[in-house]
Amino acid sequence: ALRVRPDYFEARMNLGNALRLLGRAEEGIAALRAAVQLQPNVGLAHYNLGIALLALNRPEEAYASIERAIQLKPGHADSIDVRGELFRVAGRHDEAQRDFNAALRSDPRHAYAHHHLAISLGASGRPTESLAHYETGPFSERERVALRYADQMYFDHHKIDHAFFAELERHFTDDEILELSWVIGEFI
């Protein structure tokens, strides 16, 4: 498509996303930059470029792209969530939480915003509020139990009592609990 029509915006953007997903991030960024040049007022193009830059651990450039995406499309929950995640990773939890809450006002079922807000609240010493966001997010009861288990393992695994373990057993087999514990242990 691009050989026939080099100014084909959608093809440039799709090519950039595909290259990023294939692990060819620099090429993907080049294609996404070309898409932004073709259509500089399309928020989604800036958002996609920001995601690609973030994947390469280039937070300053990612922030600039995400900020432009938000300027062009102020209520875009995905962009607001990603900006919040950039703040969270930088340890700027107040700003991160402001953005996660804004994303949730825009889209109350935005699972990533619930999840990211829960992480930020936990990291800023508010584990009870953190758990509440896992509870109010669009998760099944089984997923909520797994999330509470992960948080409890992270914050203080000594407080996992028999009652909570019985709740785990109502939702998971012994093999699943072992696998879940293993996966959680790998990341804490």
Side-chain angles (χ1 to χ4, degrees):
L2 290 171
R3 285 188 199 137
V4 174
R5 195 172 137 209
D7 64 341
Y8 189 1
F9 167 75
E10 290 84 1
R12 288 257 176 231
M13 200 162 64
N14 290 338
L15 175 63
N17 287 330
L19 289 167
R20 177 181 59 85
L21 292 171
L22 289 170
R24 296 165 55 187
E26 288 294 345
E27 293 173 84
I29 288 170
L32 290 166
R33 286 191 195 281
V36 165
Q37 287 179 340
L38 290 169
Q39 296 284 331
N41 293 321
V42 175
L44 187 57
H46 291 276
Y47 168 79
N48 287 330
L49 177 57
I51 293 296
L53 290 163
L54 184 58
L56 281 183
N57 197 27
R58 291 160 61 178
E60 295 85 11
E61 292 174 85
Y63 179 84
S65 290
I66 295 298
E67 190 65 27
R68 183 66 179 138
I70 294 168
Q71 289 170 356
L72 293 167
K73 195 171 180 183
H76 189 237
D78 289 339
S79 296
I80 298 166
D81 175 64
V82 170
R83 183 177 64 185
E85 188 61 5
L86 285 162
F87 286 140
R88 184 191 70 78
V89 170
R92 297 164 60 182
H93 291 287
D94 289 342
E95 293 161 289
Q97 292 164 23
R98 180 203 65 214
D99 275 353
F100 299 142
N101 282 313
L104 290 169
R105 281 191 300 277
S106 181
D107 179 3
R109 294 190 49 82
H110 198 284
Y112 288 121
H114 277 288
H115 177 71
H116 293 146
L117 180 56
I119 293 169
S120 181
L121 288 166
S124 59
R126 297 159 57 190
T128 302
E129 291 175 70
S130 172
L131 291 175
H133 274 279
Y134 285 130
E135 294 298 318
T136 59
F139 306 108
S140 70
E141 183 59 28
R142 186 173 195 257
E143 291 167 327
R144 286 185 183 111
V145 169
L147 290 167
R148 283 198 309 271
Y149 183 46
D151 276 353
Q152 196 59 56
M153 289 285 286
Y154 176 77
F155 290 116
D156 188 355
H157 65 277
H158 296 289
K159 290 186 179 178
I160 296 174
D161 59 14
H162 293 289
F164 182 76
F165 204 80
E167 186 176 4
L168 270 173
E169 289 176 318
R170 281 193 299 277
H171 295 279
F172 298 95
T173 66
D174 287 344
D175 287 344
E176 290 172 325
I177 293 171
L178 178 62
E179 183 177 2
L180 187 58
S181 300
W182 183 272
V183 170
I184 293 167
E186 286 286 315
F187 291 97
I188 58 173

